[in-house]
Amino acid sequence: MRVFHSLQLAHSSLFRATDRLLRALESVSSVQHAALMALSVKDGAPIGEIADMLGVGKSNLTGLIDRMEDRGLVRREAFASDARVTLVFIEPEGRAVLRRTRFLLKRLNERFLEPFSDAEQRTIERFLTFVASHAAEIVGGDDSAATVRNGSGR
């Protein structure tokens, strides 16, 4: 089984389709929507922390936040005790986007899991949680490149 390739294809296909849908309905990308969801959990988070939550680079997120700020979805403020740190806050329009898409995302989750039994759904959740939390360990440390080059991997 080619799990890595299958995960990559599933991720790409799912997010491409979701991106098209969110752009059509709300004129936001799936990554912008994810940033809004992250801020709904932790409003006023530093850009670096949001980048970590989304698994994207801080430099990529900065441009994304620029576009979101231009649309009135978020606002930035310098951290009072350290002006080098920028905090991002969700604006009322950003909250409105989340309200309008709440049912959509709930339905997408239901449709995604519909073909699977409850036990299979729990296995899928456990698998995805494990991969997300152990990715660096799974890929390997300093010797992983040498292992792959030498063909001595599993």
Side-chain angles (χ1 to χ4, degrees), residues 2 6 9 14 41 46 50 54 56 63 78 83 86-87 99 110 116 126 128 138 141:
R2 298 176 346 171
S6 295
L9 285 176
L14 184 63
V41 172
I50 299 166
L54 300 180
V56 299
T86 301
L87 305 178
R99 271 193 308 279
E110 290 168 355
F116 303 101
R126 196 172 74 244
L128 294 173
I138 292 166

Side-chain angles (χ1 to χ4, degrees), residues 50-72:
I50 299 166
D52 290 344
M53 289 166 44
L54 300 180
V56 299
K58 186 178 171 184
S59 59
N60 290 339
L61 189 64
T62 301
L64 183 91
I65 297 296
D66 287 343
R67 292 185 293 281
M68 293 174 73
E69 192 171 32
D70 290 345
R71 292 227 13 242

Side-chain angles (χ1 to χ4, degrees), residues 12-32:
S12 295
S13 298
L14 184 63
F15 279 88
R16 204 171 27 253
T18 304
D19 199 63
R20 281 193 302 269
L21 181 62
L22 286 170
R23 285 181 190 277
L25 294 176
E26 292 292 338
S27 299
V28 297
S29 70
S30 56
V31 178
Q32 288 173 326

